[in-house]
Amino acid sequence: MNKLEDFGKVIKVVTELIEVTDKEIIGSSRTIEAVDARWLAIKLMRDKGYTTRQIAPLFNRSKRSVTHALLFFKNRTQEPFSALGNIYEMARQQV
């Protein structure tokens, strides 16, 4: 698969699991659901081997913003009452 195919598959899986639109993930929405979905999609793309430099333009973000999402993703999954860790495991299996 190429980068755009991987990106499309990741976005499809994330939108189904978190119930946000692809526009919310790629756009500037700051709702908890949109940020969780965006960070999850970024993490999944990184797991597929893409660099922050390759990921950033897909999400209309800076390289620094992608790095921030990756650095704090683990903290986000361990917050009390956060289901993001479980969703990540399900998404990882589907991607």
Side-chain angles (χ1 to χ4, degrees):
M1 272 194 214
N2 68 29
K3 181 170 57 170
L4 291 177
E5 289 172 345
D6 285 339
F7 178 68
K9 184 170 185 177
V10 164
I11 292 296
K12 182 178 184 295
V13 168
V14 171
T15 57
E16 289 171 0
L17 291 173
I18 299 189
E19 297 179 2
V20 296
T21 66
D22 55 345
K23 289 179 172 79
E24 289 175 290
I25 295 171
I26 298 167
S28 59
S29 177
R30 291 189 162 275
T31 66
I32 291 170
E33 294 81 10
V35 173
D36 281 350
R38 187 177 304 124
W39 285 20
L40 174 60
I42 288 170
K43 174 68 170 139
L44 292 169
M45 288 298 289
R46 184 69 180 115
D47 289 350
K48 287 186 141 307
Y50 293 99
T51 65
T52 55
R53 188 173 300 244
Q54 293 171 313
I55 295 169
L58 296 172
F59 291 89
N60 297 320
R61 299 288 184 271
S62 67
K63 181 179 169 277
R64 183 174 188 264
S65 179
V66 171
T67 300
H68 174 82
L70 292 169
L71 287 174
F72 289 98
F73 182 80
K74 184 175 181 180
N75 292 343
R76 191 77 166 237
T77 61
Q78 294 175 346
E79 289 178 359
F81 310 110
S82 173
L84 190 57
N86 293 334
I87 293 170
Y88 169 64
E89 290 303 322
M90 289 187 292
R92 204 166 53 97
Q93 292 172 4
Q94 292 180 34
V95 177

Coordinates of all heavy atoms in Angstrom, one line a residue:
M1 N 0.8 -1.2 0.0 CA 0.0 0.0 0.0 C 0.9 1.2 0.0 O 1.9 1.3 0.6 CB -0.9 0.0 1.3 CG -2.2 -0.7 1.1 SD -3.2 -0.2 2.5 CE -4.0 -1.8 2.7
N2 N 0.4 2.3 -0.6 CA 1.1 3.5 -0.5 C 0.6 4.4 0.6 O -0.4 4.0 1.3 CB 1.0 4.3 -1.9 CG -0.4 4.8 -2.2 OD1 -1.2 5.1 -1.3 ND2 -0.7 4.9 -3.5
K3 N 1.2 5.5 0.8 CA 0.9 6.4 1.9 C -0.6 6.8 2.0 O -1.3 6.8 3.0 CB 1.8 7.6 1.9 CG 1.6 8.5 3.1 CD 2.6 9.6 3.2 CE 2.7 10.4 2.0 NZ 3.6 11.6 2.2
L4 N -1.2 7.2 0.8 CA -2.5 7.7 0.8 C -3.5 6.5 1.1 O -4.6 6.7 1.7 CB -2.9 8.4 -0.5 CG -2.2 9.7 -0.7 CD1 -2.5 10.3 -2.1 CD2 -2.5 10.7 0.4
E5 N -3.2 5.3 0.6 CA -4.1 4.2 0.9 C -4.0 3.8 2.4 O -5.1 3.6 3.0 CB -3.6 3.0 0.0 CG -4.0 3.1 -1.4 CD -3.3 2.0 -2.3 OE1 -2.5 1.3 -1.8 OE2 -3.8 1.9 -3.4
D6 N -2.8 3.8 2.9 CA -2.7 3.6 4.4 C -3.5 4.6 5.2 O -4.2 4.3 6.1 CB -1.2 3.6 4.8 CG -0.5 2.4 4.4 OD1 -1.1 1.3 4.2 OD2 0.7 2.4 4.4
F7 N -3.3 5.9 4.8 CA -4.0 7.0 5.4 C -5.5 6.8 5.4 O -6.2 7.0 6.4 CB -3.6 8.3 4.8 CG -4.3 9.5 5.4 CD1 -4.0 9.9 6.7 CD2 -5.2 10.3 4.7 CE1 -4.6 11.0 7.3 CE2 -5.8 11.4 5.2 CZ -5.5 11.8 6.5
G8 N -6.0 6.5 4.2 CA -7.5 6.3 4.0 C -8.0 5.2 4.9 O -9.1 5.3 5.5
K9 N -7.2 4.1 5.0 CA -7.7 2.9 5.8 C -7.7 3.3 7.3 O -8.6 3.0 8.0 CB -6.8 1.7 5.6 CG -7.2 0.5 6.3 CD -6.5 -0.7 5.9 CE -7.1 -1.9 6.6 NZ -6.4 -3.2 6.2
V10 N -6.6 4.0 7.7 CA -6.5 4.4 9.1 C -7.7 5.4 9.4 O -8.4 5.2 10.5 CB -5.2 5.1 9.4 CG1 -5.2 5.9 10.7 CG2 -4.1 4.1 9.4
I11 N -8.0 6.3 8.6 CA -9.1 7.3 8.8 C -10.4 6.5 8.9 O -11.3 6.8 9.8 CB -9.1 8.4 7.8 CG1 -7.9 9.3 7.9 CG2 -10.4 9.2 7.8 CD1 -7.8 10.1 9.2
K12 N -10.6 5.6 8.0 CA -11.9 4.8 8.0 C -12.1 4.1 9.3 O -13.1 4.1 9.9 CB -11.9 3.9 6.8 CG -13.1 3.0 6.6 CD -13.1 2.2 5.4 CE -14.3 1.4 5.2 NZ -14.7 0.4 6.2
V13 N -11.0 3.4 9.8 CA -11.1 2.6 11.0 C -11.4 3.6 12.2 O -12.2 3.3 13.0 CB -9.8 1.8 11.2 CG1 -9.7 1.3 12.6 CG2 -9.7 0.7 10.2
V14 N -10.7 4.7 12.2 CA -10.8 5.6 13.4 C -12.2 6.2 13.4 O -12.8 6.3 14.4 CB -9.7 6.7 13.3 CG1 -10.0 7.8 14.4 CG2 -8.4 6.1 13.6
T15 N -12.7 6.6 12.2 CA -14.1 7.2 12.2 C -15.1 6.2 12.6 O -16.1 6.6 13.2 CB -14.4 7.8 10.8 OG1 -14.3 6.8 9.8 CG2 -13.5 9.0 10.5
E16 N -14.9 5.0 12.3 CA -15.9 4.0 12.7 C -15.9 3.7 14.3 O -16.9 3.6 14.9 CB -15.7 2.7 12.0 CG -16.0 2.7 10.5 CD -15.6 1.5 9.7 OE1 -15.0 0.6 10.3 OE2 -15.9 1.5 8.5
L17 N -14.7 3.7 14.8 CA -14.5 3.4 16.2 C -14.8 4.6 17.1 O -15.4 4.4 18.2 CB -13.1 3.0 16.5 CG -12.7 1.6 16.0 CD1 -11.2 1.3 16.2 CD2 -13.5 0.5 16.6
I18 N -14.5 5.8 16.7 CA -14.8 7.0 17.6 C -16.0 7.8 17.2 O -16.4 8.7 17.9 CB -13.5 7.8 17.7 CG1 -12.3 7.0 18.2 CG2 -13.7 9.1 18.5 CD1 -11.1 7.8 18.6
E19 N -16.5 7.5 16.0 CA -17.7 8.2 15.5 C -17.5 9.7 15.4 O -18.3 10.5 15.9 CB -18.9 7.9 16.4 CG -19.3 6.4 16.5 CD -20.4 6.1 17.4 OE1 -21.0 7.0 18.0 OE2 -20.8 4.9 17.5
V20 N -16.5 10.1 14.7 CA -16.2 11.5 14.3 C -16.1 11.4 12.8 O -15.8 10.4 12.2 CB -15.0 12.1 15.0 CG1 -15.2 12.2 16.4 CG2 -13.7 11.3 14.6
T21 N -16.2 12.5 12.1 CA -16.0 12.6 10.7 C -14.6 12.8 10.3 O -13.8 13.2 11.2 CB -16.8 13.7 10.1 OG1 -16.3 15.0 10.5 CG2 -18.3 13.6 10.4
D22 N -14.2 12.4 9.1 CA -12.8 12.6 8.7 C -12.5 14.1 8.7 O -11.4 14.5 8.9 CB -12.6 12.0 7.3 CG -13.6 12.4 6.2 OD1 -14.6 13.0 6.6 OD2 -13.3 12.2 5.1
K23 N -13.5 14.9 8.4 CA -13.3 16.4 8.4 C -12.9 16.9 9.8 O -12.1 17.8 9.9 CB -14.5 17.1 7.9 CG -14.7 17.0 6.4 CD -15.9 17.7 5.9 CE -16.1 17.7 4.5 NZ -16.5 16.6 3.8
E24 N -13.5 16.3 10.8 CA -13.1 16.7 12.2 C -11.7 16.3 12.5 O -11.0 17.0 13.2 CB -14.1 16.1 13.2 CG -15.5 16.6 13.2 CD -16.4 15.9 14.1 OE1 -16.8 14.8 13.8 OE2 -16.8 16.5 15.1
I25 N -11.3 15.1 12.0 CA -9.9 14.6 12.3 C -8.9 15.5 11.6 O -7.9 15.9 12.2 CB -9.8 13.1 11.9 CG1 -10.7 12.2 12.7 CG2 -8.3 12.7 12.0 CD1 -10.8 10.8 12.2
I26 N -9.1 15.8 10.4 CA -8.2 16.5 9.6 C -8.3 18.0 9.8 O -7.3 18.8 9.7 CB -8.4 16.2 8.1 CG1 -8.1 14.7 7.8 CG2 -7.4 17.1 7.2 CD1 -8.5 14.2 6.5
G27 N -9.5 18.5 10.2 CA -9.8 19.9 10.4 C -9.2 20.4 11.8 O -8.3 19.8 12.4
S28 N -9.8 21.5 12.2 CA -9.2 22.2 13.4 C -10.1 22.0 14.6 O -10.0 22.7 15.6 CB -9.1 23.7 13.1 OG -10.3 24.2 12.8
S29 N -11.0 21.0 14.6 CA -11.9 20.7 15.7 C -11.1 20.4 17.0 O -10.1 19.6 16.9 CB -12.9 19.6 15.4 OG -13.6 19.3 16.5
R30 N -11.5 21.0 18.1 CA -10.8 20.7 19.4 C -11.6 20.0 20.4 O -11.3 20.0 21.6 CB -10.3 22.0 19.9 CG -9.2 22.7 19.1 CD -8.6 23.8 19.9 NE -7.3 24.3 19.5 CZ -6.1 23.8 19.8 NH1 -6.1 22.7 20.6 NH2 -5.0 24.3 19.4
T31 N -12.7 19.3 19.9 CA -13.5 18.5 20.8 C -12.6 17.4 21.3 O -11.7 16.9 20.6 CB -14.8 18.0 20.2 OG1 -14.4 17.1 19.1 CG2 -15.6 19.2 19.6
I32 N -13.0 16.8 22.5 CA -12.2 15.7 23.0 C -12.2 14.5 22.0 O -11.2 13.9 21.8 CB -12.7 15.3 24.4 CG1 -12.5 16.4 25.4 CG2 -12.2 14.0 24.8 CD1 -13.2 16.2 26.7
E33 N -13.4 14.3 21.4 CA -13.5 13.2 20.5 C -12.6 13.4 19.2 O -11.9 12.5 18.8 CB -14.9 13.0 20.1 CG -15.8 12.5 21.1 CD -16.3 13.7 22.0 OE1 -16.1 14.9 21.7 OE2 -17.0 13.4 23.1
A34 N -12.6 14.6 18.7 CA -11.8 14.9 17.5 C -10.3 14.8 17.8 O -9.5 14.3 17.0 CB -12.2 16.3 17.0
V35 N -9.9 15.3 19.0 CA -8.5 15.3 19.3 C -8.0 13.8 19.6 O -7.0 13.4 19.1 CB -8.2 16.1 20.6 CG1 -6.7 15.9 21.0 CG2 -8.4 17.6 20.2
D36 N -8.9 13.1 20.3 CA -8.6 11.6 20.5 C -8.5 10.9 19.2 O -7.5 10.1 18.9 CB -9.6 11.0 21.3 CG -9.5 11.2 22.8 OD1 -8.5 11.8 23.2 OD2 -10.4 10.9 23.6
A37 N -9.4 11.2 18.3 CA -9.4 10.5 16.9 C -8.1 10.9 16.1 O -7.5 10.1 15.5 CB -10.7 10.9 16.2
R38 N -7.8 12.2 16.2 CA -6.6 12.7 15.4 C -5.4 12.0 16.0 O -4.5 11.5 15.2 CB -6.6 14.2 15.6 CG -5.5 14.9 14.7 CD -5.6 16.4 14.8 NE -6.9 16.9 14.5 CZ -7.6 17.6 15.3 NH1 -7.2 18.0 16.5 NH2 -8.8 18.0 14.9
W39 N -5.2 12.0 17.3 CA -4.0 11.5 17.9 C -3.9 10.0 17.6 O -2.9 9.4 17.4 CB -4.0 11.7 19.4 CG -3.6 13.2 19.7 CD1 -3.7 14.3 18.9 CD2 -3.2 13.6 21.0 NE1 -3.3 15.4 19.6 CE2 -2.9 15.0 20.9 CE3 -2.9 13.0 22.2 CZ2 -2.5 15.8 21.9 CZ3 -2.4 13.8 23.3 CH2 -2.2 15.2 23.1
L40 N -5.1 9.3 17.7 CA -5.1 7.9 17.4 C -4.7 7.6 16.0 O -3.9 6.7 15.7 CB -6.5 7.3 17.6 CG -6.8 5.9 17.3 CD1 -5.9 4.9 18.0 CD2 -8.2 5.5 17.5
A41 N -5.2 8.4 15.0 CA -4.8 8.2 13.6 C -3.4 8.5 13.4 O -2.7 7.7 12.7 CB -5.7 9.1 12.7
I42 N -2.8 9.5 14.1 CA -1.4 9.8 13.9 C -0.6 8.7 14.5 O 0.4 8.2 13.9 CB -1.1 11.1 14.7 CG1 -1.7 12.3 13.9 CG2 0.4 11.3 14.9 CD1 -1.6 13.6 14.6
K43 N -1.0 8.1 15.6 CA -0.2 7.0 16.2 C -0.3 5.8 15.3 O 0.7 5.1 15.2 CB -0.9 6.7 17.6 CG -0.3 5.5 18.3 CD 1.1 5.6 18.7 CE 1.6 4.5 19.6 NZ 2.9 4.0 19.3
L44 N -1.4 5.5 14.7 CA -1.5 4.4 13.8 C -0.6 4.5 12.6 O 0.0 3.6 12.1 CB -3.0 4.1 13.4 CG -3.9 3.7 14.6 CD1 -5.4 3.7 14.1 CD2 -3.5 2.3 15.0
M45 N -0.6 5.7 12.1 CA 0.3 6.0 10.9 C 1.8 5.8 11.3 O 2.6 5.3 10.6 CB 0.1 7.4 10.4 CG -1.2 7.6 9.6 SD -1.4 6.5 8.2 CE -0.3 7.3 7.0
R46 N 2.1 6.3 12.5 CA 3.5 6.1 13.0 C 3.8 4.6 13.2 O 4.9 4.1 12.9 CB 3.7 6.8 14.3 CG 5.1 6.8 14.9 CD 6.0 7.6 13.9 NE 7.3 7.6 14.5 CZ 8.3 7.0 13.8 NH1 8.2 6.5 12.6 NH2 9.5 7.0 14.3
D47 N 2.8 3.8 13.7 CA 3.0 2.4 13.9 C 3.2 1.7 12.5 O 3.9 0.7 12.5 CB 1.8 1.8 14.5 CG 1.6 2.1 16.0 OD1 2.6 2.7 16.6 OD2 0.6 1.8 16.6
K48 N 2.7 2.3 11.5 CA 2.9 1.7 10.1 C 4.3 2.1 9.5 O 4.6 1.7 8.5 CB 1.8 2.2 9.2 CG 0.4 1.5 9.4 CD -0.5 1.9 8.4 CE -1.4 0.8 7.9 NZ -0.8 -0.4 7.5
G49 N 5.0 2.9 10.3 CA 6.4 3.2 9.8 C 6.6 4.6 9.2 O 7.7 4.9 8.7
Y50 N 5.6 5.4 9.2 CA 5.7 6.7 8.6 C 6.4 7.7 9.6 O 6.2 7.6 10.8 CB 4.3 7.3 8.1 CG 3.8 6.5 7.0 CD1 2.8 5.5 7.2 CD2 4.2 6.6 5.7 CE1 2.3 4.7 6.2 CE2 3.7 5.9 4.7 CZ 2.8 4.9 4.9 OH 2.3 4.2 3.9
T51 N 7.1 8.6 9.1 CA 7.8 9.6 9.9 C 6.9 10.7 10.2 O 5.9 10.9 9.5 CB 9.1 10.1 9.2 OG1 8.7 10.8 8.0 CG2 10.0 9.0 8.8
T52 N 7.3 11.5 11.2 CA 6.4 12.7 11.5 C 6.4 13.7 10.3 O 5.4 14.3 10.1 CB 7.0 13.4 12.7 OG1 8.4 13.8 12.5 CG2 6.9 12.6 14.0
R53 N 7.5 13.7 9.6 CA 7.5 14.6 8.4 C 6.5 14.1 7.3 O 6.0 14.9 6.6 CB 8.9 14.6 7.8 CG 9.1 15.6 6.7 CD 10.6 15.7 6.4 NE 11.4 16.1 7.5 CZ 12.0 17.2 7.6 NH1 12.1 18.0 6.6 NH2 12.7 17.5 8.7
Q54 N 6.3 12.8 7.2 CA 5.4 12.3 6.2 C 3.9 12.4 6.7 O 3.0 12.5 5.9 CB 5.7 10.8 5.9 CG 7.0 10.6 5.2 CD 7.4 9.1 5.2 OE1 7.3 8.4 6.2 NE2 7.8 8.6 4.0
I55 N 3.8 12.3 8.0 CA 2.4 12.3 8.6 C 1.8 13.7 8.6 O 0.6 13.9 8.4 CB 2.4 11.7 10.0 CG1 2.8 10.2 10.0 CG2 1.1 11.9 10.7 CD1 3.2 9.6 11.3
A56 N 2.6 14.7 9.0 CA 2.2 16.1 9.2 C 1.3 16.6 8.1 O 0.2 17.1 8.4 CB 3.3 17.0 9.5
P57 N 1.7 16.5 6.8 CA 0.8 17.1 5.8 C -0.5 16.4 5.6 O -1.5 17.0 5.2 CB 1.7 17.0 4.5 CG 2.8 16.2 4.8 CD 2.9 16.1 6.3
L58 N -0.6 15.1 5.9 CA -1.8 14.4 5.8 C -2.9 14.9 6.7 O -4.1 14.9 6.4 CB -1.6 12.9 6.1 CG -0.6 12.1 5.1 CD1 -0.3 10.8 5.7 CD2 -1.2 12.1 3.8
F59 N -2.5 15.4 7.9 CA -3.4 15.9 8.9 C -3.4 17.5 8.9 O -4.1 18.0 9.8 CB -3.0 15.4 10.3 CG -3.2 13.9 10.4 CD1 -2.2 13.0 10.1 CD2 -4.4 13.5 10.9 CE1 -2.4 11.7 10.2 CE2 -4.6 12.1 11.0 CZ -3.6 11.2 10.7
N60 N -2.8 18.1 8.0 CA -2.7 19.6 7.9 C -2.1 20.1 9.3 O -2.7 21.1 9.8 CB -4.1 20.2 7.7 CG -4.6 19.8 6.3 OD1 -3.8 19.8 5.3 ND2 -5.9 19.5 6.2
R61 N -1.1 19.5 9.7 CA -0.5 19.9 11.0 C 1.0 20.1 10.8 O 1.6 19.6 9.8 CB -0.6 18.8 12.1 CG -2.0 18.4 12.4 CD -2.6 19.6 13.3 NE -3.9 19.3 13.8 CZ -5.0 19.7 13.1 NH1 -5.0 20.2 11.9 NH2 -6.2 19.5 13.7
S62 N 1.7 20.7 11.7 CA 3.1 20.9 11.6 C 3.8 19.6 12.1 O 3.1 18.8 12.8 CB 3.6 22.1 12.5 OG 3.3 21.8 13.9
K63 N 5.0 19.4 11.8 CA 5.8 18.3 12.3 C 5.8 18.3 13.8 O 5.7 17.3 14.5 CB 7.2 18.3 11.7 CG 8.1 17.2 12.1 CD 9.5 17.3 11.5 CE 10.4 16.4 12.1 NZ 11.1 16.8 13.3
R64 N 5.9 19.5 14.4 CA 6.0 19.7 15.9 C 4.7 19.2 16.5 O 4.6 18.6 17.5 CB 6.2 21.1 16.2 CG 6.4 21.4 17.7 CD 6.8 22.8 17.9 NE 7.1 23.0 19.3 CZ 6.3 23.5 20.2 NH1 5.0 23.8 19.8 NH2 6.6 23.7 21.5
S65 N 3.5 19.5 15.9 CA 2.2 19.1 16.4 C 2.1 17.6 16.3 O 1.5 17.0 17.3 CB 1.1 19.8 15.5 OG -0.1 19.4 16.0
V66 N 2.6 17.0 15.3 CA 2.5 15.5 15.2 C 3.4 14.9 16.3 O 3.0 13.9 16.9 CB 3.0 15.0 13.8 CG1 3.1 13.5 13.7 CG2 1.9 15.5 12.8
T67 N 4.6 15.4 16.5 CA 5.5 15.0 17.5 C 4.8 15.1 18.9 O 4.9 14.2 19.7 CB 6.8 15.7 17.5 OG1 7.4 15.6 16.2 CG2 7.8 15.3 18.6
H68 N 4.2 16.2 19.1 CA 3.5 16.4 20.4 C 2.4 15.3 20.6 O 2.3 14.7 21.7 CB 2.8 17.8 20.4 CG 2.0 18.0 21.6 ND1 2.5 18.4 22.8 CD2 0.6 17.9 21.8 CE1 1.5 18.6 23.7 NE2 0.4 18.3 23.1
A69 N 1.6 15.0 19.6 CA 0.6 14.0 19.7 C 1.2 12.7 20.0 O 0.7 11.9 20.8 CB -0.2 13.9 18.4
L70 N 2.3 12.3 19.4 CA 2.9 11.0 19.6 C 3.5 10.9 21.0 O 3.4 9.9 21.7 CB 4.0 10.8 18.6 CG 3.5 10.5 17.1 CD1 4.7 10.6 16.1 CD2 2.7 9.2 17.0
L71 N 4.1 12.0 21.5 CA 4.7 12.0 22.8 C 3.7 11.9 23.9 O 3.9 11.2 24.9 CB 5.5 13.3 23.0 CG 6.8 13.4 22.3 CD1 7.5 14.8 22.5 CD2 7.8 12.3 22.7
F72 N 2.5 12.5 23.7 CA 1.5 12.5 24.8 C 0.4 11.5 24.6 O -0.5 11.4 25.4 CB 1.0 13.9 25.0 CG 2.0 14.8 25.6 CD1 2.7 15.7 24.8 CD2 2.2 14.8 27.0 CE1 3.7 16.5 25.3 CE2 3.2 15.7 27.5 CZ 3.9 16.5 26.7
F73 N 0.5 10.7 23.5 CA -0.5 9.7 23.3 C -0.6 8.7 24.4 O -1.7 8.4 24.9 CB -0.3 9.0 22.0 CG -1.3 8.0 21.6 CD1 -2.5 8.4 21.1 CD2 -1.2 6.6 21.9 CE1 -3.5 7.4 20.7 CE2 -2.1 5.7 21.6 CZ -3.3 6.1 21.0
K74 N 0.5 8.2 24.9 CA 0.5 7.2 26.0 C -0.2 7.8 27.2 O -1.0 7.1 27.9 CB 1.9 6.8 26.3 CG 2.0 5.7 27.3 CD 3.3 5.2 27.6 CE 3.3 4.0 28.6 NZ 4.7 3.5 28.8
N75 N 0.1 9.0 27.6 CA -0.5 9.7 28.7 C -2.0 9.7 28.5 O -2.8 9.5 29.5 CB 0.0 11.1 29.0 CG 1.5 11.1 29.4 OD1 2.0 10.1 29.8 ND2 2.1 12.2 29.3
R76 N -2.4 10.1 27.3 CA -3.9 10.2 27.0 C -4.6 8.9 27.2 O -5.7 8.8 27.6 CB -4.0 10.7 25.6 CG -5.4 11.1 25.2 CD -5.7 12.5 25.8 NE -6.8 13.1 25.2 CZ -6.8 14.3 24.6 NH1 -5.8 15.0 24.5 NH2 -7.9 14.7 24.0
T77 N -3.9 7.8 26.9 CA -4.5 6.5 27.0 C -4.6 6.0 28.4 O -5.4 5.1 28.7 CB -3.8 5.4 26.1 OG1 -2.5 5.3 26.6 CG2 -3.8 5.7 24.7
Q78 N -3.8 6.5 29.3 CA -3.8 6.1 30.7 C -4.6 7.0 31.6 O -4.6 6.7 32.8 CB -2.3 6.0 31.2 CG -1.5 5.0 30.4 CD -0.1 5.0 30.8 OE1 0.4 5.9 31.4 NE2 0.6 3.9 30.4
E79 N -5.2 8.0 31.1 CA -6.0 8.9 31.9 C -7.2 8.1 32.5 O -7.7 7.2 31.8 CB -6.6 10.0 31.1 CG -5.5 11.1 30.8 CD -6.1 12.2 29.9 OE1 -7.3 12.2 29.6 OE2 -5.3 13.1 29.6
P80 N -7.6 8.4 33.7 CA -8.8 7.7 34.3 C -10.0 7.9 33.4 O -10.2 9.0 32.9 CB -9.0 8.3 35.6 CG -7.7 9.0 35.9 CD -7.1 9.3 34.6
F81 N -10.8 6.9 33.2 CA -12.0 6.9 32.4 C -11.8 7.1 30.9 O -12.7 7.5 30.2 CB -13.0 8.0 33.0 CG -13.2 8.0 34.4 CD1 -12.7 8.9 35.3 CD2 -13.9 6.9 35.0 CE1 -12.9 8.9 36.6 CE2 -14.1 6.8 36.4 CZ -13.6 7.8 37.2
S82 N -10.6 6.9 30.5 CA -10.3 7.0 29.1 C -10.4 5.7 28.4 O -9.7 4.7 28.9 CB -8.9 7.6 28.8 OG -8.6 7.6 27.5
A83 N -11.2 5.6 27.4 CA -11.3 4.3 26.6 C -10.4 4.3 25.4 O -10.3 3.3 24.7 CB -12.7 4.2 26.2
L84 N -9.5 5.3 25.3 CA -8.7 5.4 24.1 C -7.7 4.3 24.0 O -7.4 3.8 22.9 CB -7.9 6.8 24.1 CG -7.2 7.1 22.9 CD1 -8.1 7.2 21.7 CD2 -6.5 8.5 23.0
G85 N -7.2 3.8 25.1 CA -6.3 2.6 25.1 C -6.9 1.4 24.5 O -6.3 0.7 23.6
N86 N -8.1 1.1 24.9 CA -8.9 0.0 24.3 C -9.2 0.2 22.8 O -9.1 -0.7 22.0 CB -10.2 -0.3 25.1 CG -9.9 -0.7 26.5 OD1 -8.9 -1.3 26.8 ND2 -10.8 -0.5 27.4
I87 N -9.6 1.4 22.5 CA -9.9 1.7 21.1 C -8.6 1.6 20.2 O -8.7 1.1 19.1 CB -10.5 3.1 21.0 CG1 -11.8 3.2 21.7 CG2 -10.6 3.6 19.5 CD1 -12.4 4.6 21.8
Y88 N -7.5 2.0 20.8 CA -6.2 1.9 20.1 C -5.9 0.4 19.7 O -5.5 0.1 18.6 CB -5.1 2.5 20.9 CG -3.7 2.2 20.4 CD1 -3.3 2.6 19.1 CD2 -2.8 1.4 21.1 CE1 -2.0 2.3 18.6 CE2 -1.5 1.1 20.6 CZ -1.1 1.6 19.4 OH 0.1 1.2 18.9
E89 N -6.1 -0.5 20.7 CA -5.8 -1.9 20.5 C -6.8 -2.5 19.4 O -6.3 -3.2 18.5 CB -6.0 -2.7 21.8 CG -4.9 -2.4 22.8 CD -3.5 -2.7 22.3 OE1 -3.3 -3.7 21.5 OE2 -2.6 -1.9 22.6
M90 N -8.0 -2.1 19.4 CA -9.0 -2.5 18.4 C -8.6 -2.0 17.0 O -8.6 -2.7 16.0 CB -10.4 -2.1 18.7 CG -11.0 -2.8 19.9 SD -12.7 -2.5 20.2 CE -12.7 -0.8 20.7
A91 N -8.2 -0.7 17.0 CA -7.8 -0.1 15.7 C -6.6 -0.7 15.2 O -6.4 -1.0 14.0 CB -7.6 1.4 15.9
R92 N -5.6 -1.0 16.0 CA -4.3 -1.6 15.6 C -4.5 -2.9 14.9 O -3.9 -3.3 14.0 CB -3.4 -1.7 16.8 CG -1.9 -1.7 16.5 CD -1.1 -1.5 17.7 NE -1.4 -2.4 18.8 CZ -0.8 -3.5 19.1 NH1 0.3 -3.9 18.3 NH2 -1.1 -4.3 20.1
Q93 N -5.5 -3.7 15.5 CA -5.8 -5.0 14.9 C -6.4 -4.9 13.5 O -6.2 -5.7 12.6 CB -6.6 -5.8 15.8 CG -5.9 -6.2 17.1 CD -6.8 -6.9 18.1 OE1 -8.0 -7.1 17.9 NE2 -6.3 -7.2 19.3
Q94 N -7.2 -3.8 13.3 CA -7.9 -3.7 12.1 C -7.1 -3.1 11.0 O -7.3 -3.3 9.8 CB -9.2 -2.8 12.3 CG -10.2 -3.4 13.1 CD -11.4 -2.5 13.3 OE1 -11.8 -1.8 12.4 NE2 -12.1 -2.6 14.5
V95 N -6.1 -2.3 11.4 CA -5.2 -1.7 10.4 C -4.1 -2.6 10.2 O -3.5 -2.8 9.2 CB -4.7 -0.3 10.9 CG1 -3.7 0.3 9.9 CG2 -5.8 0.6 11.2

